[in-house]
C-alpha cells in the first residue's frame, strides 16, 4: 500500500482540498512553492510509464480536476505548473501516479 493509498483510506492525515470518486487532492508535506498540491487517482496507476489504454479517462480527469482545483484555490489566473515524475531519472519517490500542482511564485526555466 502506497503512502497515498493510506491518505485516501484516511489512515494517515493530509490537508485535503478536493476529492471525488476518481481522485483526491491534498497539500504536499514538503512544499516547493507557496502552493504545492498533489492530485492523485484513487486507482493506483503506478506511473505514466506504466499507464495503459484503460487509464485514459482517469488521466484526463486528473487534468480537468487540476483546473477545477486551481480555480477553487484561486491560482488558475495567476498560473501554475503541473509536474509528473515517472521513473528513476525523474526523481519519483512515490510509486503512485500524481500531479504536482505548483503555484504562488514565478517558476524557473529550465525545469532542472
Ligand atoms: P514524487 O517525487 O514525484 O514521487 O513526489 C512525491 C511527493 O510526495 C513529494 O513531493 C513528497 O513531499 C510528497 N509526500 C510524501 N509523503 C507525503 C505525505 N504523507 N503527505 C503529503 N505529501 C507527501
Amino acid at each position: 500500500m502506497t503512502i497515498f493509498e493510506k491518505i485516501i483510506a484516511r489512515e494517515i492525515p493530509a490537508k485535503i482540498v478536493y476529492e471525488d470518486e476518481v481522485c483526491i487532492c491534498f497539500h504536499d508535506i514538503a512544499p516547493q512553492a507557496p502552493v504545492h498540491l498533489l492530485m492523485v487517482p484513487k486507482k493506483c496507476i503506478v506511473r505514466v510509464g506504466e499507464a495503459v489504454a484503460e487509464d485514459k479517462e482517469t488521466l484526463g480527469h486528473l487534468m480537468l480536476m487540476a483546473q477545477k482545483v486551481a480555480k477553487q484555490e484561486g491560482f488558475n489566473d495567476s498560473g501554475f505548473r503541473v509536474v509528473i515524475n515517472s521513473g528513476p531519472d525523474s526523481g519519483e519517490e512515490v510509486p503512485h501516479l500524481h500531479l504536482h500542482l505548483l503555484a504562488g511564485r514565478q517558476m524557473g526555466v529550465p525545469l532542472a
Side-chain angles (χ1 to χ4, degrees), residues 3-17 24-29 38:
I3 195 144
F4 295 161
E5 286 174 291
K6 290 180 182 170
I7 288 172
I8 292 163
R10 304 299 199 275
E11 289 177 14
I12 61 171
K15 286 171 60 183
I16 297 166
V17 299
I24 189 166
C25 185
F26 50 88
H27 285 268
D28 196 293
I29 205 168
L38 300 175

Side-chain angles (χ1 to χ4, degrees), residues 1 8 12-13 15 24 38 53 62 65-66 80 85-86 91 100 106 112:
M1 198 176 199
I8 292 163
I12 61 171
K15 286 171 60 183
I24 189 166
L38 300 175
L62 294 175
M65 293 311 102
F80 61 103
N85 292 321
S86 182
H100 296 259
Q106 189 66 49

Side-chain angles (χ1 to χ4, degrees), residues 26-76:
F26 50 88
H27 285 268
D28 196 293
I29 205 168
Q32 304 298 310
V35 181
H36 186 170
L37 304 174
L38 300 175
M39 178 68 74
V40 181
K42 290 186 172 176
K43 176 195 169 189
C44 184
I45 300 167
V46 175
R47 59 184 61 87
V48 169
E50 294 186 28
V52 295
E54 69 179 30
D55 296 326
K56 184 174 171 180
E57 202 168 320
T58 300
L59 295 172
H61 185 81
L62 294 175
M63 287 291 179
L64 291 175
M65 293 311 102
Q67 180 203 89
K68 184 183 178 90
V69 168
K71 289 177 175 169
Q72 172 190 301
E73 300 298 309
F75 59 81
N76 195 52

